[in-house]
């Protein structure tokens, strides 16, 4: 599947004291090799530079510390350089949604 980023923007002010007002939204389109099957996705949340990045890194670390063997067995992931989304799959998306990020795929 091929992914194209359609739009990524932030709505942030220059005052670091107003991070709570900052937001981001990323929209994706993915096409299967047949060129006909299309998946649309949107990921959004709060401040992408600090708050949301910290959530993503923390949830990845917790999953590595607590579910490493389970993830290896379930998905056949044995090592190398992997993105969290590939290595952790739906478990990662579920955890990110639990801490406030929004993931919508249609």
């Amino acid at each position: 599947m091929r992914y194209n980023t359609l739009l990524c923007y932030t709505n942030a002010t220059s005052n670091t004291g107003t991070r709570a007002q900052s937001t981001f939204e990323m929209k994706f389109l993915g096409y299967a090799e047949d060129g006909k099957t299309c998946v649309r996705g949107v990921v959004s949340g709060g401040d992408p530079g600090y708050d949301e990045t910290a959530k993503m890194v923390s949830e990845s670390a917790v999953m590595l510390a607590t579910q490493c063997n389970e993830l290896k067995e379930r998905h056949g992931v044995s090592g190398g350089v992997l993105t969290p989304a590939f290595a952790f799959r739906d478990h990662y998306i579920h955890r990110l949604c639990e801490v406030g990020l929004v993931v919508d795929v249609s």
Side-chain angles (χ1 to χ4, degrees):
M1 188 166 276
R2 183 180 78 239
Y3 294 98
N4 297 316
T5 301
L6 293 178
L7 178 64
C8 177
Y9 67 91
T10 61
N11 179 17
T13 64
S14 60
N15 183 341
T16 57
T18 59
R19 276 196 340 245
Q21 296 174 359
S22 299
T23 61
F24 81 97
E25 182 176 75
M26 289 184 68
K27 295 181 180 181
F28 300 92
L29 274 181
Y31 292 95
E33 290 182 17
D34 65 11
K36 298 176 184 176
T37 306
C38 177
V39 176
R40 292 177 175 85
V42 178
V43 178
S44 61
D47 175 63
Y50 297 96
D51 300 333
E52 303 307 319
T53 300
K55 290 176 186 177
M56 293 176 202
V57 171
S58 298
E59 292 303 322
S60 295
V62 168
M63 289 186 74
L64 280 174
T66 62
Q67 299 177 343
C68 187
N69 291 333
E70 176 187 339
L71 293 166
K72 284 181 186 179
E73 292 172 9
R74 181 176 294 153
H75 300 300
V77 177
S78 60
V81 179
L82 304 171
T83 64
F86 178 80
F88 305 138
R89 316 266 169 103
D90 292 342
H91 301 283
Y92 185 59
I93 293 171
H94 178 72
R95 291 184 71 99
L96 293 177
C97 290
E98 285 181 344
V99 295
L101 273 82
V102 176
V103 179
D104 180 30
V105 179
S106 59

